[in-house]
Amino acid sequence: MAKPADTRTAGRKPAVKADRSAAETEKIRAALAARYDELRAEYDQTLSDITELQRDRLTDSAGDDQADTGTKTFEREQEISLANSIKERITQVERALERLDEGSYGWCERCGNPIPVERLAAFPSATLCVTCKQLEERR
């Protein structure tokens, strides 16, 4: 029995590395690597801050009432949410670097059309063209 075609890659235009010069590719790689380094530093700092705040909360919780405990819990959850958000952005940049190495960077993962340069300039780790992203957000 034949396997059904993968709808994500059906009709996809093959990414040809010749569409982008080596200099352009290296410029993109450098920008993505710089963004990765920024995010990694931000993530490490956030984890350090969370650890320090947790240590302070453990030693400074005597006499807390329910409102104080609730506030501290809420703040901790916000800090963890921020760390998770940064981690997700790191993953997106890592994926963009992988796609650059594979030659599929700049091509929509869903329809296979090129992602406009303006979109990539604004969001370098974009994997969908504007049309496909709009369709995804409507769901």
Coordinates of all heavy atoms in Angstrom, one line a residue, residues 12-91:
R12 N 6.2 21.5 -2.9 CA 7.3 22.3 -2.4 C 8.3 22.5 -3.4 O 8.8 21.6 -4.1 CB 7.9 21.7 -1.1 CG 9.0 22.5 -0.6 CD 9.6 21.8 0.6 NE 10.1 22.8 1.5 CZ 10.5 22.6 2.7 NH1 10.3 21.4 3.2 NH2 10.9 23.5 3.5
K13 N 8.8 23.7 -3.6 CA 9.8 24.0 -4.5 C 11.1 23.7 -3.8 O 11.3 24.0 -2.7 CB 9.8 25.5 -4.8 CG 8.6 26.0 -5.6 CD 8.6 27.4 -5.8 CE 7.3 27.9 -6.4 NZ 7.3 29.3 -6.6
P14 N 12.0 23.0 -4.5 CA 13.3 22.6 -3.9 C 14.1 23.9 -3.6 O 14.2 24.8 -4.4 CB 14.0 21.7 -4.9 CG 13.3 22.1 -6.2 CD 11.9 22.5 -5.9
A15 N 14.6 23.9 -2.4 CA 15.5 25.1 -2.1 C 16.8 24.9 -2.8 O 17.5 23.9 -2.6 CB 15.7 25.1 -0.5
V16 N 17.2 25.9 -3.6 CA 18.4 25.8 -4.3 C 19.3 26.8 -3.7 O 19.0 28.0 -3.6 CB 18.2 26.1 -5.8 CG1 19.4 26.1 -6.6 CG2 17.1 25.2 -6.4
K17 N 20.5 26.3 -3.2 CA 21.4 27.2 -2.6 C 22.0 28.3 -3.5 O 22.4 29.3 -3.0 CB 22.6 26.4 -2.0 CG 22.2 25.5 -0.8 CD 23.4 24.9 -0.2 CE 23.0 24.0 1.0 NZ 24.1 23.4 1.7
A18 N 21.9 28.1 -4.8 CA 22.4 29.1 -5.7 C 21.5 30.3 -5.7 O 21.9 31.4 -6.2 CB 22.4 28.5 -7.1
D19 N 20.3 30.3 -5.1 CA 19.5 31.4 -5.0 C 20.1 32.5 -4.1 O 19.7 33.6 -4.2 CB 18.1 31.1 -4.5 CG 17.2 30.3 -5.5 OD1 17.6 30.3 -6.7 OD2 16.2 29.7 -5.1
R20 N 20.9 32.1 -3.2 CA 21.5 33.0 -2.2 C 23.1 32.8 -2.4 O 23.6 31.7 -2.4 CB 21.1 32.5 -0.9 CG 21.5 33.4 0.2 CD 21.0 33.0 1.6 NE 19.5 32.9 1.7 CZ 18.8 31.8 1.8 NH1 19.4 30.6 1.9 NH2 17.5 31.8 1.9
S21 N 23.7 34.0 -2.4 CA 25.2 33.9 -2.5 C 25.8 33.4 -1.2 O 25.1 33.5 -0.2 CB 25.7 35.3 -2.9 OG 25.6 36.2 -1.8
A22 N 27.0 33.0 -1.3 CA 27.7 32.6 0.0 C 27.8 33.7 0.9 O 27.7 33.5 2.2 CB 29.1 32.0 -0.4
A23 N 28.1 34.9 0.4 CA 28.2 36.1 1.3 C 26.8 36.4 2.0 O 26.8 36.7 3.2 CB 28.6 37.3 0.5
E24 N 25.7 36.3 1.3 CA 24.4 36.5 1.9 C 24.1 35.4 2.9 O 23.6 35.7 4.0 CB 23.3 36.4 0.8 CG 23.3 37.6 -0.1 CD 22.3 37.4 -1.3 OE1 22.2 36.3 -1.8 OE2 21.7 38.4 -1.6
T25 N 24.5 34.2 2.6 CA 24.3 33.1 3.6 C 25.1 33.3 4.8 O 24.6 33.1 6.0 CB 24.7 31.7 2.9 OG1 23.9 31.5 1.8 CG2 24.5 30.6 3.9
E26 N 26.3 33.7 4.7 CA 27.2 34.0 5.9 C 26.6 35.2 6.7 O 26.7 35.2 7.9 CB 28.6 34.2 5.5 CG 29.3 32.9 5.1 CD 29.1 31.8 6.2 OE1 29.3 32.0 7.4 OE2 28.6 30.7 5.8
K27 N 26.1 36.2 6.0 CA 25.5 37.4 6.7 C 24.3 36.9 7.5 O 24.2 37.3 8.7 CB 25.1 38.4 5.7 CG 24.6 39.7 6.3 CD 24.3 40.7 5.2 CE 23.7 42.0 5.8 NZ 23.3 43.0 4.8
I28 N 23.5 36.1 6.9 CA 22.3 35.5 7.6 C 22.8 34.7 8.8 O 22.3 34.8 9.9 CB 21.4 34.7 6.7 CG1 20.8 35.6 5.6 CG2 20.4 33.9 7.5 CD1 20.2 34.8 4.5
R29 N 23.8 33.8 8.6 CA 24.3 33.0 9.7 C 24.8 33.8 10.8 O 24.6 33.5 12.0 CB 25.4 32.0 9.1 CG 25.8 31.0 10.1 CD 26.9 30.1 9.6 NE 26.7 29.6 8.3 CZ 25.9 28.6 8.0 NH1 25.1 28.0 8.9 NH2 25.7 28.2 6.7
A30 N 25.6 34.9 10.5 CA 26.1 35.7 11.5 C 25.1 36.4 12.3 O 25.1 36.5 13.6 CB 27.1 36.8 10.9
A31 N 24.0 36.9 11.6 CA 22.9 37.5 12.3 C 22.2 36.5 13.2 O 21.8 36.9 14.4 CB 21.9 38.1 11.3
L32 N 21.9 35.3 12.7 CA 21.3 34.3 13.6 C 22.1 33.9 14.7 O 21.7 33.7 15.9 CB 20.9 33.1 12.7 CG 19.7 33.3 11.7 CD1 19.7 32.1 10.8 CD2 18.4 33.5 12.5
A33 N 23.4 33.8 14.5 CA 24.4 33.4 15.6 C 24.4 34.5 16.7 O 24.4 34.2 17.9 CB 25.7 33.1 15.0
A34 N 24.4 35.7 16.2 CA 24.4 36.8 17.2 C 23.1 36.8 18.0 O 23.2 37.0 19.2 CB 24.6 38.2 16.5
R35 N 22.0 36.6 17.3 CA 20.7 36.5 18.1 C 20.7 35.4 19.0 O 20.2 35.5 20.2 CB 19.6 36.4 17.0 CG 18.2 36.4 17.7 CD 17.9 37.7 18.3 NE 16.6 37.7 18.9 CZ 16.3 38.2 20.0 NH1 17.1 39.0 20.7 NH2 15.0 38.1 20.5
Y36 N 21.3 34.2 18.6 CA 21.4 33.1 19.5 C 22.2 33.4 20.7 O 21.8 33.1 21.9 CB 22.0 31.9 18.7 CG 22.2 30.7 19.6 CD1 21.2 29.8 19.9 CD2 23.5 30.5 20.2 CE1 21.4 28.7 20.7 CE2 23.7 29.4 21.1 CZ 22.6 28.5 21.3 OH 22.8 27.4 22.1
D37 N 23.3 34.1 20.5 CA 24.2 34.4 21.7 C 23.5 35.4 22.6 O 23.6 35.3 23.9 CB 25.5 35.1 21.2 CG 26.4 34.1 20.5 OD1 26.2 32.8 20.7 OD2 27.3 34.5 19.7
E38 N 22.7 36.4 22.1 CA 22.0 37.3 22.9 C 20.9 36.6 23.7 O 20.8 36.8 24.9 CB 21.2 38.3 22.0 CG 22.1 39.3 21.4 CD 21.3 40.2 20.4 OE1 20.0 40.2 20.4 OE2 22.0 40.8 19.5
L39 N 20.2 35.7 23.1 CA 19.1 35.0 23.8 C 19.7 34.0 24.8 O 19.1 33.9 25.9 CB 18.3 34.2 22.8 CG 17.3 35.0 21.9 CD1 16.8 34.1 20.8 CD2 16.2 35.6 22.7
R40 N 20.8 33.4 24.5 CA 21.4 32.5 25.4 C 21.9 33.2 26.7 O 21.7 32.7 27.8 CB 22.6 31.8 24.7 CG 23.1 30.6 25.5 CD 22.1 29.5 25.3 NE 22.2 28.7 26.6 CZ 21.5 27.7 26.8 NH1 20.7 27.2 26.0 NH2 21.6 27.1 28.0
A41 N 22.5 34.4 26.5 CA 22.9 35.2 27.6 C 21.7 35.7 28.5 O 21.7 35.6 29.7 CB 23.7 36.4 27.1
E42 N 20.6 36.1 27.8 CA 19.4 36.5 28.5 C 18.8 35.3 29.3 O 18.4 35.5 30.4 CB 18.4 37.0 27.5 CG 17.2 37.6 28.1 CD 16.2 38.1 27.0 OE1 16.5 38.2 25.8 OE2 15.0 38.5 27.4
Y43 N 18.8 34.1 28.7 CA 18.3 32.9 29.3 C 19.1 32.6 30.5 O 18.6 32.3 31.6 CB 18.3 31.8 28.3 CG 17.7 30.5 28.9 CD1 16.3 30.4 29.1 CD2 18.5 29.4 29.1 CE1 15.8 29.2 29.6 CE2 18.0 28.2 29.6 CZ 16.6 28.1 29.9 OH 16.1 27.0 30.4
D44 N 20.4 32.6 30.4 CA 21.3 32.3 31.5 C 21.1 33.3 32.6 O 21.1 32.9 33.8 CB 22.8 32.2 31.1 CG 23.1 31.1 30.1 OD1 22.3 30.1 30.1 OD2 24.1 31.1 29.4
Q45 N 21.0 34.5 32.3 CA 20.8 35.6 33.3 C 19.4 35.4 34.0 O 19.3 35.5 35.2 CB 20.8 37.0 32.7 CG 20.6 38.1 33.7 CD 21.7 38.1 34.8 OE1 22.9 38.0 34.5 NE2 21.3 38.2 36.0
T46 N 18.4 35.0 33.3 CA 17.1 34.8 33.8 C 17.1 33.6 34.8 O 16.5 33.7 35.9 CB 16.0 34.5 32.7 OG1 16.0 35.7 31.9 CG2 14.6 34.3 33.3
L47 N 17.8 32.5 34.4 CA 17.9 31.4 35.3 C 18.6 31.7 36.6 O 18.3 31.3 37.7 CB 18.6 30.2 34.6 CG 17.8 29.5 33.5 CD1 18.6 28.3 32.9 CD2 16.4 29.0 34.0
S48 N 19.7 32.5 36.4 CA 20.4 33.0 37.6 C 19.6 33.8 38.5 O 19.6 33.7 39.7 CB 21.7 33.8 37.1 OG 22.4 34.3 38.2
D49 N 18.8 34.7 37.9 CA 17.9 35.6 38.7 C 16.8 34.7 39.4 O 16.5 35.0 40.6 CB 17.2 36.6 37.8 CG 18.1 37.6 37.3 OD1 19.3 37.7 37.7 OD2 17.7 38.4 36.3
I50 N 16.3 33.7 38.7 CA 15.3 32.9 39.3 C 15.9 32.1 40.5 O 15.3 32.0 41.6 CB 14.7 31.9 38.3 CG1 13.8 32.6 37.3 CG2 13.9 30.7 39.0 CD1 13.4 31.8 36.1
T51 N 17.1 31.6 40.3 CA 17.8 30.8 41.4 C 18.0 31.8 42.6 O 17.7 31.4 43.8 CB 19.1 30.3 40.9 OG1 18.8 29.4 39.8 CG2 19.8 29.5 42.0
E52 N 18.5 33.0 42.4 CA 18.7 33.9 43.4 C 17.5 34.3 44.2 O 17.4 34.3 45.4 CB 19.4 35.2 42.9 CG 19.8 36.1 43.9 CD 20.6 37.3 43.3 OE1 21.3 37.2 42.4 OE2 20.4 38.4 43.9
L53 N 16.4 34.6 43.4 CA 15.1 34.9 44.0 C 14.5 33.8 44.8 O 14.0 34.0 45.9 CB 14.1 35.4 43.0 CG 14.4 36.8 42.4 CD1 13.5 37.0 41.2 CD2 14.3 37.9 43.4
Q54 N 14.7 32.6 44.3 CA 14.2 31.4 45.1 C 15.0 31.3 46.4 O 14.3 31.0 47.4 CB 14.4 30.1 44.2 CG 13.4 29.9 43.1 CD 12.0 29.7 43.7 OE1 11.2 30.6 43.8 NE2 11.7 28.5 44.0
R55 N 16.3 31.5 46.3 CA 17.1 31.4 47.6 C 16.6 32.4 48.6 O 16.5 32.2 49.8 CB 18.5 31.5 47.2 CG 19.5 31.2 48.3 CD 21.0 31.2 47.9 NE 21.3 32.1 46.9 CZ 21.7 31.8 45.6 NH1 21.7 30.6 45.3 NH2 22.0 32.8 44.8
D56 N 16.4 33.7 48.1 CA 15.9 34.7 48.9 C 14.5 34.4 49.5 O 14.3 34.7 50.7 CB 15.8 36.1 48.2 CG 17.2 36.6 47.8 OD1 18.2 36.1 48.4 OD2 17.3 37.5 47.0
R57 N 13.6 33.8 48.7 CA 12.3 33.5 49.2 C 12.3 32.5 50.3 O 11.5 32.5 51.2 CB 11.4 33.1 48.0 CG 11.0 34.2 47.1 CD 10.1 33.7 46.0 NE 9.9 34.8 45.1 CZ 10.0 34.7 43.8 NH1 10.4 33.6 43.2 NH2 9.8 35.8 43.0
L58 N 13.2 31.5 50.2 CA 13.3 30.5 51.2 C 13.8 31.0 52.5 O 13.3 30.5 53.6 CB 14.3 29.3 50.7 CG 13.8 28.5 49.6 CD1 14.9 27.5 49.1 CD2 12.5 27.7 50.0
T59 N 14.6 32.0 52.5 CA 15.2 32.5 53.8 C 14.3 33.7 54.3 O 14.4 34.0 55.4 CB 16.6 33.0 53.6 OG1 16.6 34.0 52.6 CG2 17.5 31.9 53.2
D60 N 13.5 34.3 53.4 CA 12.7 35.4 53.8 C 11.2 35.2 53.7 O 10.4 36.0 53.3 CB 13.1 36.6 52.9 CG 12.4 37.9 53.4 OD1 12.3 38.1 54.6 OD2 12.1 38.7 52.5
S61 N 10.8 34.0 54.2 CA 9.3 33.7 54.2 C 8.7 33.6 55.5 O 7.5 33.4 55.6 CB 9.1 32.4 53.4 OG 9.7 31.4 54.0
A62 N 9.4 33.9 56.6 CA 8.9 33.8 57.9 C 7.9 34.9 58.1 O 8.1 36.1 57.8 CB 10.0 33.9 58.9
G63 N 6.7 34.6 58.6 CA 5.7 35.6 58.9 C 4.9 36.0 57.7 O 4.0 36.9 57.7
D64 N 5.0 35.3 56.5 CA 4.2 35.6 55.4 C 2.8 35.2 55.6 O 2.5 34.1 56.1 CB 4.8 34.9 54.1 CG 6.0 35.6 53.6 OD1 6.4 36.6 54.1 OD2 6.6 35.0 52.6
D65 N 1.9 36.1 55.1 CA 0.5 35.7 55.2 C 0.1 35.1 53.8 O 1.0 35.0 52.9 CB -0.4 36.8 55.5 CG -0.4 38.0 54.6 OD1 0.2 37.8 53.5 OD2 -0.9 39.1 54.9
Q66 N -1.2 34.7 53.6 CA -1.6 34.1 52.3 C -1.4 35.0 51.1 O -1.0 34.6 50.1 CB -3.0 33.7 52.4 CG -3.3 32.5 53.3 CD -4.7 32.1 53.4 OE1 -5.6 32.9 53.1 NE2 -5.0 30.9 53.8
A67 N -1.6 36.3 51.3 CA -1.4 37.2 50.2 C 0.1 37.3 49.8 O 0.4 37.3 48.6 CB -1.9 38.6 50.6
D68 N 1.0 37.4 50.8 CA 2.4 37.4 50.4 C 2.8 36.1 49.7 O 3.6 36.2 48.7 CB 3.2 37.5 51.7 CG 3.1 38.9 52.4 OD1 2.8 39.9 51.7 OD2 3.3 39.0 53.6
T69 N 2.3 35.0 50.2 CA 2.7 33.7 49.6 C 2.1 33.7 48.2 O 2.8 33.2 47.2 CB 2.1 32.5 50.4 OG1 2.7 32.6 51.7 CG2 2.5 31.2 49.8
G70 N 0.9 34.1 48.0 CA 0.3 34.1 46.6 C 1.1 35.0 45.7 O 1.3 34.7 44.5
T71 N 1.5 36.2 46.2 CA 2.2 37.1 45.3 C 3.6 36.5 44.9 O 4.0 36.6 43.7 CB 2.5 38.5 46.1 OG1 1.2 39.0 46.4 CG2 3.3 39.4 45.3
K72 N 4.3 35.9 45.9 CA 5.5 35.3 45.5 C 5.4 34.1 44.6 O 6.2 34.0 43.6 CB 6.2 34.8 46.8 CG 6.7 35.9 47.7 CD 7.4 35.4 49.0 CE 7.8 36.6 49.8 NZ 8.5 36.2 51.1
T73 N 4.3 33.4 44.7 CA 4.1 32.3 43.8 C 3.8 32.8 42.4 O 4.3 32.3 41.4 CB 2.9 31.4 44.3 OG1 3.2 30.9 45.5 CG2 2.6 30.3 43.3
F74 N 3.0 33.9 42.3 CA 2.6 34.5 41.0 C 3.9 35.0 40.3 O 4.1 34.8 39.1 CB 1.6 35.6 41.2 CG 1.3 36.4 40.0 CD1 0.5 35.8 39.0 CD2 1.8 37.6 39.7 CE1 0.1 36.5 37.8 CE2 1.5 38.3 38.6 CZ 0.6 37.7 37.6
E75 N 4.8 35.7 41.1 CA 6.0 36.2 40.6 C 6.9 35.1 40.1 O 7.5 35.2 39.0 CB 6.7 37.1 41.6 CG 6.0 38.4 41.9 CD 6.7 39.1 43.1 OE1 7.5 38.5 43.8 OE2 6.3 40.3 43.3
R76 N 7.0 34.0 40.8 CA 7.8 32.9 40.4 C 7.3 32.3 39.1 O 8.1 32.0 38.2 CB 7.9 31.8 41.5 CG 8.8 30.6 41.1 CD 8.8 29.6 42.2 NE 7.5 28.9 42.4 CZ 6.8 29.0 43.5 NH1 7.2 29.6 44.5 NH2 5.6 28.4 43.5
E77 N 6.0 32.2 39.0 CA 5.4 31.6 37.7 C 5.7 32.5 36.6 O 5.9 32.1 35.4 CB 3.9 31.4 37.9 CG 3.6 30.2 38.8 CD 2.1 30.1 39.2 OE1 1.3 31.0 38.7 OE2 1.8 29.1 39.9
Q78 N 5.6 33.8 36.8 CA 6.0 34.8 35.7 C 7.4 34.7 35.3 O 7.7 34.7 34.1 CB 5.7 36.2 36.1 CG 4.2 36.6 36.1 CD 4.1 38.1 36.4 OE1 4.7 38.7 37.3 NE2 3.2 38.8 35.6
E79 N 8.3 34.5 36.2 CA 9.7 34.4 35.9 C 10.0 33.1 35.1 O 10.7 33.1 34.1 CB 10.5 34.4 37.2 CG 10.5 35.7 37.9 CD 10.8 35.6 39.4 OE1 11.1 34.5 39.9 OE2 10.8 36.6 40.1
I80 N 9.3 32.0 35.5 CA 9.5 30.7 34.8 C 8.9 30.8 33.4 O 9.5 30.3 32.5 CB 8.9 29.6 35.6 CG1 9.7 29.4 36.9 CG2 8.8 28.3 34.8 CD1 9.1 28.4 37.9
S81 N 7.8 31.5 33.3 CA 7.2 31.7 32.0 C 8.1 32.5 31.0 O 8.2 32.2 29.9 CB 5.8 32.4 32.1 OG 5.2 32.7 30.9
L82 N 8.7 33.5 31.6 CA 9.7 34.3 30.8 C 10.8 33.4 30.4 O 11.2 33.5 29.2 CB 10.2 35.5 31.6 CG 11.3 36.3 31.0 CD1 10.8 37.0 29.8 CD2 11.8 37.4 32.0
A83 N 11.4 32.6 31.3 CA 12.5 31.7 30.9 C 12.1 30.8 29.8 O 12.8 30.5 28.9 CB 13.0 31.0 32.1
N84 N 10.8 30.2 29.9 CA 10.4 29.3 28.9 C 10.2 30.0 27.5 O 10.5 29.4 26.5 CB 9.0 28.7 29.3 CG 9.2 27.7 30.4 OD1 10.3 27.1 30.6 ND2 8.2 27.4 31.2
S85 N 9.7 31.2 27.5 CA 9.6 32.0 26.3 C 10.9 32.2 25.6 O 11.1 32.1 24.4 CB 8.9 33.4 26.6 OG 8.9 34.2 25.5
I86 N 11.9 32.6 26.4 CA 13.3 32.8 25.9 C 13.8 31.5 25.3 O 14.4 31.4 24.2 CB 14.2 33.3 27.0 CG1 13.8 34.7 27.4 CG2 15.7 33.4 26.5 CD1 14.5 35.2 28.7
K87 N 13.6 30.4 26.0 CA 14.0 29.1 25.6 C 13.4 28.7 24.2 O 14.0 28.2 23.3 CB 13.7 28.0 26.6 CG 14.2 26.6 26.3 CD 15.7 26.6 26.2 CE 16.2 25.2 26.0 NZ 17.6 25.1 25.7
E88 N 12.1 29.0 24.1 CA 11.4 28.8 22.8 C 12.0 29.6 21.7 O 12.2 29.1 20.6 CB 9.9 29.1 22.9 CG 9.1 28.9 21.7 CD 9.2 27.5 21.1 OE1 9.2 26.5 21.9 OE2 9.1 27.4 19.9
R89 N 12.4 30.8 21.9 CA 13.0 31.6 20.9 C 14.4 31.1 20.6 O 14.8 31.1 19.4 CB 13.1 33.1 21.4 CG 11.7 33.8 21.3 CD 11.8 35.2 21.6 NE 12.0 35.4 23.1 CZ 12.5 36.5 23.7 NH1 12.8 37.5 22.9 NH2 12.7 36.5 25.0
I90 N 15.1 30.6 21.5 CA 16.4 29.9 21.3 C 16.2 28.8 20.3 O 17.0 28.6 19.4 CB 17.1 29.5 22.6 CG1 17.6 30.7 23.4 CG2 18.3 28.6 22.3 CD1 18.1 30.4 24.8
T91 N 15.2 28.0 20.6 CA 14.9 26.8 19.8 C 14.6 27.2 18.3 O 15.0 26.6 17.4 CB 13.8 26.0 20.4 OG1 14.1 25.6 21.7 CG2 13.4 24.8 19.6

